[in-house]
Amino acid sequence: MLKEYLPEKINAILPPSVLEIRLRRRKPISFLTKKGKSFANHIVTDAEFEEALALATERSLYAITEKLVNGYLPLKGGVRVGVAGESVSDGNRVKTVKNITSLVYRIPHQIFGASDFLQIDGNFRENVLIISPPACGKTTFLRDLSRRLSIAGMNVAVLDERGEIGGVVQSEVTLDLGNNADVLVGFPKSIAYENALRSLNPDYIVTDELSGESDVKGVLRAYYGGVKVAATLHGSGESAFYGDFAPLAKVFDRIIVLGKEPRVGSVVQNIVR
Amino acid sequence: MSALSVFIGVCAFFSASFVGLWLKKRLVKKADFYKDYYDYLTFALEKISYERAVVSEINKGFRGKSKEFSEFLEGKEINIAIPENDLSEIRSSISSIGRSDAETQIASLSSKCASMKRFVENECASFRKDAALRFKLAVLVGVALFIILV
């Protein structure tokens, strides 16, 4: 799936089982695999970078401007491309991003059984929060958790704002979320919670990367509405409940902290509250 | 009235009619091409405004009347009676789709659609009228030649 978004020369040097690719203008390509980070002996030319950008935007900048402003481009199959460049602002509003200098491709993968230790069955009723610094496997863990909840027979509403959890491609959920998952792709969180609560009758709401006021409000709305929540949050432990996130401290029954040692996705803490 | 002169007269008639038909088709193709270009812009505007559809989806979904326009859209060389300046302007207009944010893209397509609408309504209608006239004229010339020769 990823190959159709990369220039031929770059495809030719992709290592197997790559987890992340970083293309930086006129710099060597860097890869992240299970073995760790490495640099290829290939400098990304301006032409290659432009081609990669055109492929990632499907030569349709207008279709992804809103996402670009939020710093990423969603590709088919749940691949997400982080974008670094220069903002074009109109007052307080970022209109678009120009002079793009870096593209970071994050390739989703599935680790079946990552959440098995939670022993999820039809009676599981915990609000679960997964916390970790970036690139420690939060989304992978959340995906497996969603699948387990779905297999256990619960209606799972997946708020997949960035299209990473389900990897939806033209109306098909390409990553395994079981048979009881309803995936809302690309909805802003403020709308997604309302839509899910009002029209999907969920037992669980699953959402990735809690990041602002709309998430806090949405999670609280679900919590007080009797719907369970499984979510992820950037942080390194319970200290993540600061500032805007303080009201969420009471919501979660279980906090799972992930880390990179001894390997990416290792459960560092499993706090039952 | 010899058989030979009748034969030459019939040949002259058909040749003139054939030239008329060729001229007619040429103008109709030209009108169809411009009309398809306008329809394409309208289709793209609609797909972008409501669905934010990507360029490949727009091109795939567009159903035009002109075979030449479809080939042009695929980047193929075409043989049509349209000035090279116009063709390169249309080419650059189509290839500019997808290079700006949604707001700018919609505004630019709307303005192109408005100017093309006027062109299609006035010029293309006159191309079609001319096409019919030329064909009729050629047939008349053919009849006249037949009469003179026979």
Side-chain angles (χ1 to χ4, degrees), chain A residues 218-233:
Chain A
V219 170
L220 290 174
R221 168 108 169 69
Y223 175 69
Y224 289 118
V227 175
K228 300 296 175 189
V229 178
T232 68
L233 179 64

Side-chain angles (χ1 to χ4, degrees), chain A residues 88-95:
Chain A
V88 179
S89 305
D90 178 9
N92 285 332
R93 187 174 75 104
V94 177
K95 278 178 70 179

Side-chain angles (χ1 to χ4, degrees), chain A residues 10 20-31 37-39 42-46 48-49 52 84 100-105:
Chain A
I10 294 175
E20 186 181 283
I21 305 163
R22 286 177 187 258
L23 302 188
R24 297 176 175 112
R25 258 183 216 274
R26 296 175 219 158
K27 304 276 185 207
I29 304 174
S30 101
F31 299 115
K37 192 175 171 180
S38 61
F39 284 95
H42 179 90
I43 306 288
V44 180
T45 64
D46 282 341
E48 282 168 347
F49 192 89
I100 293 170
T101 50
S102 298
L103 297 172
V104 181
Y105 296 74

Side-chain angles (χ1 to χ4, degrees), chain B residues 67-87:
Chain B
K67 188 183 137 213
E68 283 74 18
F69 185 77
S70 304
E71 289 178 355
F72 182 79
L73 209 52
E74 288 166 14
K76 293 180 186 165
E77 285 297 319
I78 54 163
N79 183 15
I80 195 163
I82 288 180
E84 190 48 46
N85 279 353
D86 274 16
L87 274 183

Side-chain angles (χ1 to χ4, degrees), chain A residues 9 76 95 108 118 140 143 164-165 191-192 196 215 227 266:
Chain A
K9 273 189 182 173
K76 288 173 190 165
K95 278 178 70 179
L118 294 175
T140 306
R143 191 178 294 121
E164 286 179 288
I165 306 174
I191 297 170
D215 267 315
V227 175
S266 299

Side-chain angles (χ1 to χ4, degrees), chain B:
Chain B
M1 188 167 62
S2 70
L4 182 64
S5 62
V6 170
F7 176 73
I8 292 172
V10 168
C11 284
F13 171 76
F14 279 111
S15 302
S17 302
F18 179 78
V19 169
L21 196 65
W22 178 77
L23 285 172
K24 182 187 169 183
K25 275 192 176 172
R26 203 162 169 257
L27 278 174
V28 168
K29 273 186 184 178
K30 189 174 170 178
D32 284 347
F33 186 91
Y34 281 119
K35 174 74 170 53
D36 266 13
Y37 171 52
Y38 167 66
D39 288 345
Y40 175 79
L41 292 178
T42 316
F43 182 70
L45 179 61
E46 196 181 299
K47 295 292 265 184
I48 293 170
S49 302
Y50 298 110
E51 296 174 30
R52 298 285 190 267
V54 296
V55 173
S56 58
E57 275 175 47
I58 295 171
N59 291 354
K60 212 170 150 189
F62 179 70
R63 295 277 173 273
K65 195 175 169 189
S66 159
K67 188 183 137 213
E68 283 74 18
F69 185 77
S70 304
E71 289 178 355
F72 182 79
L73 209 52
E74 288 166 14
K76 293 180 186 165
E77 285 297 319
I78 54 163
N79 183 15
I80 195 163
I82 288 180
E84 190 48 46
N85 279 353
D86 274 16
L87 274 183
S88 65
E89 200 176 304
I90 294 172
R91 192 175 289 120
S92 86
S93 154
I94 290 174
S95 65
S96 74
I97 298 176
R99 295 197 177 166
S100 49
D101 61 277
E103 216 173 294
T104 315
Q105 187 71 76
I106 289 167
S108 133
L109 277 173
S110 300
S111 108
K112 278 179 198 163
C113 280
S115 70
M116 271 313 287
K117 190 180 179 196
R118 282 193 297 276
F119 182 82
V120 166
E121 279 171 357
N122 302 327
E123 299 294 319
C124 290
S126 98
F127 290 154
R128 285 180 207 281
K129 208 186 283 175
D130 281 0
L133 272 177
R134 284 184 196 191
F135 179 62
K136 283 176 193 165
L137 190 65
V139 171
L140 279 177
V141 169
V143 170
L145 282 173
F146 180 80
I147 292 167
I148 292 165
L149 290 169
V150 174

Side-chain angles (χ1 to χ4, degrees), chain A residues 69-129:
Chain A
V69 165
N70 287 324
Y72 71 99
L73 300 169
L75 306 186
K76 288 173 190 165
V79 178
R80 187 179 82 181
V81 185
V83 176
E86 186 184 336
S87 80
V88 179
S89 305
D90 178 9
N92 285 332
R93 187 174 75 104
V94 177
K95 278 178 70 179
T96 187
V97 180
K98 66 175 184 178
N99 299 333
I100 293 170
T101 50
S102 298
L103 297 172
V104 181
Y105 296 74
R106 297 188 65 186
I107 297 103
H109 56 293
Q110 301 189 91
I111 298 189
F112 295 112
S115 64
D116 276 2
F117 69 93
L118 294 175
Q119 297 182 324
I120 293 169
D121 58 20
N123 298 317
F124 190 80
R125 290 288 180 272
E126 294 177 6
N127 290 303
V128 182
L129 182 66

